[in-house]
């Protein structure tokens, strides 16, 4: 947000803490402001963790988190792809309210604009240290395609509330394949200046399409045949990078160790912290470190889940050794539903061996069906959130911002987080009903409107199966769809035509909100 309004918000917040008898009138949950760590996986499905019934893969660290906290069974990302989902979660505004929030290329300009009030602004202006790690995928720099990757980027996470950031611009299957620390390429190699283009290749640079012999780590199954980095071809063209280029097998280590270092540096500086730890796991290309290989029968996708679990374990252990576990709220979740073949020949499909990444829900990543946006969600806050509980409360990630605002007594500028509802009691497991409805967005922008009892999917044009090779049902149909959540949780039978009033009521509720 702009400087003037930032100062305004800081002044308000400072006032709140110096004048208000903040603690007196509050519920026990609010008595002390905890650190908040949001561990946000990529493409991790509702059925991908052992404590959610996963077959074939052990996730002891996540199991531990669930046994020390509350595990949610009816939580939803705001979209079934990354960029719109993260946009909604971090701003409290649905991505479908504005254009240019679709899956972003690696050279997208900042999608969240500096004047928007984000979850990070909210924490920062409430006295928190704030940091982002890992997958970003919400654009960087002022204008799409005009970034100079060899200089400080003119617009970045510092402009939307993050004091510190160590991130990947987009996804690991998109160039540029470098980490960016506080708006500058990390480990920058002046001997290999970086150039990025999403339209045309740089003369003489190999591509996956023309030089498959150079793909010594992973080959594409569809798409992903442009620039080659670390023996893996990607989306987009890139030249240079040298020593700054990531090695996929070290990405989880880099993200996790930067997060751990941040925790150590901020453990006892008198300020609480907010950390957004967005893992690369389990997005494609899945190429985890050697030490996580072969610990499950599912190949690289299973190994990536094991690696994700390791990251979670590292963070929990570090909280213990720093003595911070008691006063830290940990939220673990995912940005959208799972996908098996998302464009690389990694054996994921062949090796599932009975595992269902969606936990048998219909659809998956990209889809309007339940598998698109129902995600794992676990919340731990010792003494405040019940241990080893399950909550079936209806939850949307878009509501996290106002809920966390309430938790820390943030004063929010008028109009911020406009779609976010205060659902703190549901978030901490005290209210087992949750939100009256949630809205999720499929890859083609079709909206799904879900209440406790019914799921309505609005009519939309498009193919029944994702058209580029992932074999996922889109949920797209030219007719309205209605599913009975209680009797048909797997969405096998569209009952819209036999329930015209319910269908019309839900359609009209959705249209009012839109
Ligand atoms: C798709 C990519 C897919 C993945 C997705 C974004 C192709 C053929 N497929 O376009 O691999 O990158 O975009 O995933 O290019 S997300 O989780 O970041 O939304
Ligand atoms: Ca994703």
């Amino acid at each position: 947000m702009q400087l003037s309004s930032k100062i305004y918000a800081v002044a308000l917040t400072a006032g709140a803490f110096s004048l208000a008898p903040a603690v007196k009138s509050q519920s026990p949950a609010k008595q002390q402001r905890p650190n908040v760590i949001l561990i946000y996986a990529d493409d991790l499905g509702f059925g991908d963790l052992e404590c959610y019934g996963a077959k074939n893969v052990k996730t002891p660290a996540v199991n531990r988190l669930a046994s020390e906290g509350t595990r949610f069974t009816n939580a939803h990302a705001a979209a079934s792809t990354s960029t719109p989902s993260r946009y909604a979660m971090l701003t409290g505004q649905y991505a479908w309210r504005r254009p240019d929030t679709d899956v972003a290329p690696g050279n997208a300009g900042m999608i969240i604009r500096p004047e928007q009030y984000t979850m990070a602004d909210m924490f920062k202006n409430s006295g928190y240290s704030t940091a982002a790690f890992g997958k970003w995928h919400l654009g960087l720099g002022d204008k799409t395609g005009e970034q100079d990757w060899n200089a400080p980027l003119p617009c970045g996470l510092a402009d939307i509330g993050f004091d510190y950031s160590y991130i990947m611009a987009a996804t690991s299957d998109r160039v540029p394949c470098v980490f960016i620390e506080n708006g500058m390429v990390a480990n920058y190699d002046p001997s290999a200046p970086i150039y990025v283009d999403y339209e045309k290749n740089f003369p003489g640079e190999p591509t996956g399409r023309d030089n498959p012999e150079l793909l010594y780590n992973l080959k594409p199954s569809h798409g992903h045949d442009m620039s080659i980095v670390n023996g893996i071809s990607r989306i987009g063209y890139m030249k240079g990078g040298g020593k700054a280029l990531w090695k996929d097998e070290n990405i989880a280590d880099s993200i996790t160790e930067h997060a751990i270092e941040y925790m150590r540096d901020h453990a006892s500086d008198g300020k609480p912290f907010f950390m957004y730890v967005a893992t690369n796991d389990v997005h494609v290309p899945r190429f985890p470190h050697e030490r996580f290989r072969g610990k499950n029968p599912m190949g690289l996708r299973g190994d990536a889940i094991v690696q994700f679990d390791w990251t979670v374990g590292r963070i929990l252990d570090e909280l213990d050794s720093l003595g911070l576990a008691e006063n830290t709220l940990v939220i673990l979740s995912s940005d959208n539903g799972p996908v098996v073949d998302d464009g690389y020949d990694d054996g994921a499909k062949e090796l599932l061996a009975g595992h269902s990444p969606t936990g048998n829900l219909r659809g998956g990543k990209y889809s309007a069906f339940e598998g698109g946006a129902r995600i794992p969600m676990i919340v731990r806050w010792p003494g405040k959130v019940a241990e080893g509980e399950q909550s079936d409360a209806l939850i949307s990630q878009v509501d996290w911002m106002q809920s966390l605002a309430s938790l820390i007594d943030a004063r929010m500028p008028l109009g911020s987080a406009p779609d976010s509802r205060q659902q703190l009691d549901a978030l901490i497991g005290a209210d087992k009903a949750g939100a009256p409805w949630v809205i999720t967005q499929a890859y083609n922008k079709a909206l799904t409107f879900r209440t406790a009892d019914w799921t309505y999917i609005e009519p939309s044009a498009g193919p029944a199966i994702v058209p580029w090779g992932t074999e996922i049902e889109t949920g797209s149909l030219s007719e309205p769809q209605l599913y009975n959540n209680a009797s048909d949780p797997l969405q096998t039978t569209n009952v819209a035509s036999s329930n015209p009033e319910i269908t019309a009521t839900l359609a009209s509720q959705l249209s009012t909100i839109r």
Side-chain angles (χ1 to χ4, degrees):
M1 60 175 318
Q2 278 154 357
L3 197 57
S4 55
S5 43
K6 266 202 171 142
I7 290 166
Y8 175 63
V10 169
L12 274 180
T13 312
F17 286 103
S18 54
L19 302 174
V23 177
K24 259 195 197 153
S25 58
Q26 288 163 5
S27 68
K30 288 191 183 177
Q31 278 171 12
Q32 61 185 144
R33 293 181 313 152
N35 304 305
V36 177
I37 302 183
L38 177 48
I39 304 174
Y40 207 60
D42 198 352
D43 297 357
L44 186 73
F46 184 64
D48 272 331
L49 298 165
E50 209 180 355
C51 55
Y52 279 89
K55 289 209 179 89
N56 306 332
V57 62
K58 302 239 176 299
T59 53
V62 180
N63 293 353
R64 174 191 163 193
L65 189 73
S67 71
E68 295 171 355
T70 293
R71 188 177 64 85
F72 291 79
T73 61
N74 204 5
H76 297 77
S80 59
T81 54
S82 156
T83 302
S85 175
R86 288 162 201 259
Y87 175 89
M89 192 268 288
L90 289 171
T91 65
Q93 180 192 46
Y94 290 120
W96 43 263
R97 296 216 188 270
R98 49 165 282 194
D100 306 326
T101 52
D102 286 335
V103 172
N107 66 347
M110 283 274 282
I111 293 172
I112 302 175
R113 301 309 301 177
E115 61 275 15
Q116 285 183 271
Y117 204 73
T118 69
M119 190 184 285
D121 284 316
M122 174 188 102
F123 277 107
K124 183 181 165 82
N125 292 334
S126 303
Y128 278 66
S129 304
T130 55
F133 304 88
K135 174 168 173 172
W136 180 239
H137 212 189
L138 287 163
L140 284 173
D142 201 31
K143 291 214 174 75
T144 297
E146 291 182 18
Q147 298 89 347
D148 178 354
W149 300 97
N150 305 293
L153 293 162
C155 182
L157 277 69
D159 299 292
I160 55 170
F162 288 103
D163 298 328
Y164 175 79
S165 58
Y166 178 79
I167 54 161
M168 312 160 77
T171 56
S172 56
D173 60 347
R174 285 173 175 75
V175 302
C177 299
V178 290
F179 277 97
I180 295 164
E181 187 168 26
N182 293 331
M184 285 191 281
V185 169
N187 297 323
Y188 183 71
D189 183 345
S191 72
I194 297 169
Y195 303 96
V196 170
D197 198 309
Y198 270 74
E199 311 269 290
K200 53 180 193 328
N201 193 16
F202 299 95
E205 294 295 313
T207 64
R209 198 179 313 130
D210 296 335
N211 308 88
E213 75 283 0
L214 300 180
L215 302 176
Y216 55 82
N217 276 331
L218 272 181
K219 294 181 182 28
S221 58
H222 56 265
H224 304 101
D225 60 358
M226 294 164 238
S227 285
I228 301 173
V229 174
N230 192 33
I232 300 174
S233 48
R234 320 270 167 168
I235 306 171
Y237 301 103
M238 162 174 200
K239 180 181 156 122
K243 292 189 194 118
L245 292 172
W246 67 51
K247 285 210 184 303
D248 301 74
E249 54 272 45
N250 296 332
I251 288 176
D253 278 306
S254 301
I255 294 172
T256 307
E257 295 316 321
H258 278 80
I260 298 288
E261 203 181 307
Y262 188 88
M263 289 163 73
R264 288 181 182 158
D265 288 350
H266 292 80
S268 51
D269 64 357
K271 282 170 105 183
F273 57 72
F274 165 63
M275 293 171 61
Y276 172 51
V277 185
T279 67
N280 172 53
D281 294 315
V282 298
H283 198 277
V284 297
R286 303 173 188 120
F287 202 71
H289 193 271
E290 201 62 49
R291 68 190 192 278
F292 304 111
R293 302 280 180 101
K295 299 217 154 65
N296 76 95
M298 296 195 292
L300 292 168
R301 187 172 188 280
D303 298 340
I305 296 174
V306 172
Q307 182 169 264
F308 172 75
D309 188 72
W310 169 81
T311 294
V312 175
R314 276 294 275 135
I315 292 172
L316 299 185
D317 289 348
E318 195 61 32
L319 283 174
D320 288 339
S321 32
L322 294 170
L324 297 179
E326 288 291 310
N327 194 34
T328 301
L329 170 69
V330 178
I331 304 176
L332 178 149
S333 199
S334 176
D335 68 338
N336 51 251
V339 51
V340 180
D341 177 356
D342 208 15
Y344 290 94
D345 239 336
D346 56 11
K349 190 179 150 204
E350 298 76 7
L351 297 169
L352 280 175
H355 172 76
S356 171
T358 62
N360 295 316
L361 296 173
R362 190 166 180 187
K365 179 174 178 176
Y366 308 111
S367 180
F369 288 130
E370 194 64 11
R374 174 105 65 93
I375 35 69
M377 172 173 160
I378 300 171
V379 177
R380 185 189 82 169
W381 188 14
K384 309 287 196 314
V385 170
E387 277 179 32
E389 283 276 310
Q390 173 180 317
S391 169
D392 304 329
L394 187 56
I395 301 270
S396 168
Q397 291 178 359
V398 81
D399 296 332
W400 286 356
M401 189 162 162
Q402 291 288 4
S403 307
L404 294 170
S406 168
L407 174 79
I408 63 169
D409 272 324
R411 297 210 182 170
M412 307 269 278
L414 214 61
S416 50
D419 292 311
S420 188
R421 297 161 296 185
Q422 204 278 78
Q423 290 283 321
L424 178 60
D425 283 347
L427 179 79
I428 62 171
D431 162 16
K432 294 278 164 72
W437 44 262
V438 305
I439 298 174
T440 62
Q441 166 188 344
Y443 84 108
N444 68 348
K445 286 204 165 75
L447 300 186
T448 300
F449 184 77
R450 193 185 203 286
T451 64
D453 301 330
W454 298 98
T455 298
Y456 164 77
I457 304 177
E458 69 175 351
S460 73
I465 304 287
V466 174
W468 56 82
T470 66
E471 298 174 13
I472 288 173
E473 285 188 289
T474 61
S476 179
L477 195 71
S478 54
E479 308 280 306
Q481 294 173 75
L482 183 73
Y483 297 96
N484 185 319
N485 296 338
S487 65
D488 185 21
L490 306 186
Q491 304 183 317
T492 58
T493 313
N494 177 8
V495 294
S497 54
S498 47
N499 295 277
E501 304 83 18
I502 295 169
T503 307
T505 306
L506 296 176
S508 116
Q509 263 180 288
L510 175 60
S511 127
T512 308
I513 296 157
R514 177 148 45 195

